[in-house]
Amino acid sequence: MSLVSTLVVLLLCAWCAILLVYRRRLLRLWREPMLAAPVLIIESDDWGPGPASHVAALERLIELLARHRDAWGRAAVMTIGAVLAIADTAAIRAGEISCYRRQRLCDSDGVAMREVLLAGRARGVLALQLHGMEHYWPQSLLTAARRDAEVRDWLETAAGSDTERLPSALQSRWTDVTTLPSRPLPEAEIRAAVAEEVACFETSFGTRPLVAVPPTFVWTEQVERAWAEAGVRVIITPGRRLTGRDRAGQPGGCDRDILNGERGAGGVRYLVRDLYFEPALGHRPERLCDELARHFALGRPALIETHRFNFTGEQAESAYAALETLLEQARARWPGLRFMSAEALAAGQATGAEWLVRDRARRLEVWLRRAARVDRLRKLAWLSGLALPAWALLAVLGAWRRGEEHG
Ligand SMILES: [Zn+2]
């Protein structure tokens, strides 16, 4: 065998080895639903029992969203990660922090908030998702309050709705943070808590939750299974499952990474929310639109995280303006933009909606783009020369598609 043919064989062997090592990842990227249309979903968490100003903020958001329509006449949708109860801080103080007391959204004090959420749902601009009974595990809160001055101060001075002010680790609901690193909660307690929050959601809104958003994105397979058994079909994720808090109180314990459309315990479907729009923290619409472009080029939906605090805090005015600008710019840049709920997105992906890519050549193009975004694979591909045929194929597929689009 000549030197040239030996080198060619070695090169081909190297390429095969790379593809073999990454075969699972590549297969998952191929199976991940590919969207032919740009889909934009704004996901806003933490709304629940609170003062009248929070109700007014939602009323204003509903009007703002309703003004923006996609080409099919559908209004912009904001999914609401609903918190169903807050600490009744006055009652807990009166009991000298010996036992937990809550105010629920379905109690009489929650009427105005419930009504605005239901009105937004009826107009098709709000989609209600389960964030949790509380934004913490109540027993962890009580234990912390007995020994931590910061938490005791929160119980003594904060309205129960201000959970953003609690220490970060305490805001995770599905892990025991009484000591760090956190420990798993007993499964029986998880199941009871899930049954309770799902029932409370149904009492509050008249329907069972189909979509769940784990607070701080810390949850476990046990939680997932309990949700699935209670009727939850979709879990919003950041692209990986973090199961606890580490020694420093940071989210950790990743036990799987996640792509859109993959299945979890009990058959739940995952969606990935990995775009962030918190105007109060300085996030700008122009920058976000560039990130949307990158997502759409990969056939992925844009699930954008934004929290209640943007629209209820001191900088609320600029947050409304930024949201308005974002929706205007996105509609102008993508005339085929689609607004829908996370639930509708997951259902469409599962049942083969018309906005999915079916054409094999187009799927191959999207798949190559996705593969090129896998960090180490990209480096190895360039080092080994595998990137050259991939790049050439991508160029041919792109030219062919553009020819079809214009012809
Ligand atoms: Zn939250």
Side-chain angles (χ1 to χ4, degrees):
M1 200 185 282
S2 74
L3 183 63
V4 173
S5 47
T6 307
L7 284 175
V8 168
V9 169
L10 282 175
L11 194 63
L12 290 175
C13 285
W15 292 359
C16 286
I18 292 170
L19 293 174
L20 204 63
V21 168
Y22 281 92
R23 67 188 185 286
R24 284 206 186 88
R25 180 82 186 172
L26 291 170
L27 192 61
R28 289 173 63 205
L29 291 173
W30 178 260
R31 287 180 179 153
E32 182 187 359
M34 295 179 187
L35 275 57
V39 170
L40 187 150
I41 302 173
I42 297 166
E43 298 239 315
S44 189
D45 290 342
D46 300 350
W47 299 91
S53 60
H54 291 193
V55 175
L58 277 171
E59 283 170 346
R60 190 159 165 192
L61 281 170
I62 289 169
E63 294 306 322
L64 190 160
L65 295 161
R67 283 199 296 276
H68 292 273
R69 306 258 158 190
D70 66 15
W72 291 263
R74 284 182 299 250
V77 177
M78 178 178 271
T79 66
I80 296 291
V83 171
L84 304 170
I86 57 174
D88 184 340
T89 48
I92 295 172
R93 282 198 300 274
E96 297 181 341
I97 317 184
S98 59
C99 62
Y100 182 73
R101 295 274 183 265
R102 62 167 59 114
Q103 288 179 332
R104 297 177 305 172
L105 192 60
C106 58
D107 295 335
S108 55
D109 286 352
V111 170
M113 175 57 75
R114 226 166 49 239
E115 282 182 349
V116 73
L117 289 172
L118 289 171
R121 182 169 75 177
R123 286 181 66 177
V125 297
L126 301 184
L128 307 181
Q129 304 183 156
L130 172 66
H131 201 25
M133 179 65 104
E134 280 99 356
H135 210 297
Y136 45 78
W137 188 250
Q139 198 52 48
S140 294
L141 179 76
L142 274 197
T143 307
R146 290 185 199 120
R147 64 183 186 212
D148 182 330
E150 189 184 352
V151 182
R152 181 177 273 272
D153 178 63
W154 181 86
L155 265 183
E156 286 176 351
T157 60
S161 57
D162 292 348
T163 51
E164 299 94 337
R165 284 180 47 198
L166 284 168
S168 167
L170 210 52
Q171 294 179 40
S172 288
R173 174 166 169 78
W174 295 115
T175 186
D176 178 356
V177 294
T178 48
T179 55
L180 291 174
S182 67
R183 290 166 302 168
L185 293 165
E187 187 159 1
E189 291 185 28
I190 290 173
R191 298 177 78 84
V194 162
E196 188 181 32
E197 67 180 15
V198 165
C200 188
F201 187 100
E202 190 171 14
T203 308
S204 301
F205 303 127
T207 51
R208 289 168 86 80
L210 294 175
V211 183
V213 188
T216 74
F217 283 138
V218 169
W219 81 105
T220 63
E221 189 179 338
Q222 286 80 12
V223 177
E224 217 167 275
R225 194 174 301 283
W227 273 335
E229 286 170 8
V232 169
R233 294 282 166 265
V234 181
I235 296 181
I236 307 294
T237 79
R240 57 195 179 142
R241 184 169 62 197
L242 300 165
T243 58
R245 291 278 181 163
D246 65 18
R247 205 169 292 280
Q250 296 300 311
C254 178
D255 69 352
R256 70 173 290 179
D257 72 350
I258 292 168
L259 293 177
N260 284 299
E262 290 185 332
R263 310 289 287 261
V268 291
R269 274 183 195 279
Y270 297 122
L271 287 177
V272 176
R273 182 208 281 180
D274 56 357
L275 293 169
Y276 306 93
F277 186 57
E278 314 279 17
L281 303 181
H283 297 180
R284 303 308 310 153
E286 300 75 17
R287 181 112 178 247
L288 182 57
C289 276
D290 291 340
E291 291 183 49
L292 294 185
R294 284 192 280 276
H295 267 60
F296 297 154
L298 300 178
R300 289 185 172 135
L303 273 72
I304 302 168
E305 178 169 295
T306 188
H307 287 87
R308 175 187 66 176
F309 67 77
N310 292 285
F311 307 101
T312 56
E314 285 174 10
Q315 300 174 49
E317 284 307 317
S318 56
Y320 291 118
L323 180 59
E324 189 100 51
T325 305
L326 171 68
L327 292 169
E328 275 167 9
Q329 290 188 355
R331 285 167 56 219
R333 190 158 164 184
W334 294 282
L337 191 73
R338 285 176 185 255
F339 295 130
M340 67 180 75
S341 65
E343 182 188 330
L345 171 66
Q349 287 180 349
T351 57
E354 87 277 12
W355 36 260
L356 290 172
V357 179
R358 287 198 177 69
D359 176 70
R360 289 236 154 201
R362 175 78 180 112
R363 282 181 58 78
L364 188 57
E365 185 187 352
V366 172
W367 177 73
L368 284 167
R369 284 187 199 286
R370 288 178 176 179
R373 294 293 292 269
V374 180
D375 254 354
R376 269 196 203 151
L377 175 58
R378 184 177 62 243
K379 283 178 194 144
L380 281 171
W382 280 111
L383 280 173
S384 67
L386 176 60
L388 291 175
W391 178 80
L393 181 57
L394 195 54
V396 169
L397 289 167
W400 188 19
R401 173 176 49 80
R402 283 189 291 277
E404 292 218 322
E405 282 169 1
H406 293 117

